[in-house]
Amino acid sequence: MVKEKYTKEYYMRSSPHVLYNYISAPSALAEWFADNVVNKDGNFTFTWDGADEYAQLVSKTKEVSIRFQWEDDADTDYYWEMAIKIDSLTKDVALLVTDFAEPDEVEESKQLWDRQIDALKHVIGS
């Protein structure tokens, strides 16, 4: 089945530098995204409830964004990305999450991201 791309925007009360650390450093990701995160040469292992999921680091731009691809999506154009956006006028900081899900799972996937980002906001005091 073909997956559907979607993007969600979350306003954050955080400096871009702090936010980037929380979306890119394995130890910081383990504080809000997964139970444990390990990076070995761009191969990430995310652990939830004792189960491992594997992702490849596709790209990262320091202080701006990080993009991963799940092992199950190898050889496809599917990825998930977290990118920091700064409003040029207000200087408000937002986190843009782009992901792909099967059409009947898009709403559930968005809700999962909502819960994850709520956890991130709690950790950084946003």
Side-chain angles (χ1 to χ4, degrees):
M1 185 176 284
V2 175
K3 291 184 178 182
E4 186 176 309
K5 180 180 179 180
Y6 66 90
T7 300
K8 291 210 62 174
E9 184 170 351
Y10 302 92
Y11 286 94
M12 309 294 288
R13 283 188 221 117
S14 173
S15 74
H17 176 76
V18 169
L19 184 56
Y20 183 77
N21 182 60
Y22 274 97
I23 67 171
S24 63
S27 60
L29 282 163
E31 290 185 49
W32 67 276
F33 186 73
D35 298 333
N36 191 38
V37 180
V38 175
N39 173 16
K40 290 186 180 171
D41 300 321
N43 295 302
F44 281 70
T45 303
F46 296 90
T47 305
W48 289 275
D49 297 325
D52 292 340
E53 295 289 334
Y54 305 98
Q56 178 72 36
L57 176 65
V58 175
S59 66
K60 70 178 177 178
T61 304
K62 189 173 174 85
E63 306 291 323
V64 176
S65 66
I66 189 159
R67 181 180 288 191
F68 295 96
Q69 184 177 55
W70 292 115
E71 180 181 62
D72 292 344
D73 290 332
D75 300 322
T76 72
D77 293 330
Y78 302 136
Y79 61 88
W80 54 282
E81 179 179 69
M82 294 178 283
I84 298 168
K85 180 177 103 174
I86 303 168
D87 186 282
S88 60
L89 293 176
T90 65
K91 303 301 180 201
D92 288 340
V93 176
L95 183 64
L96 299 175
V97 174
T98 302
D99 201 354
F100 291 81
E102 294 185 9
D104 61 340
E105 296 177 353
V106 170
E107 286 309 311
E108 181 181 334
S109 184
K110 287 179 179 180
Q111 290 173 3
L112 177 60
W113 275 110
D114 289 346
R115 288 190 300 274
Q116 295 299 98
I117 300 304
D118 282 346
L120 172 59
K121 286 179 175 182
H122 179 74
V123 167
I124 63 175
S126 176

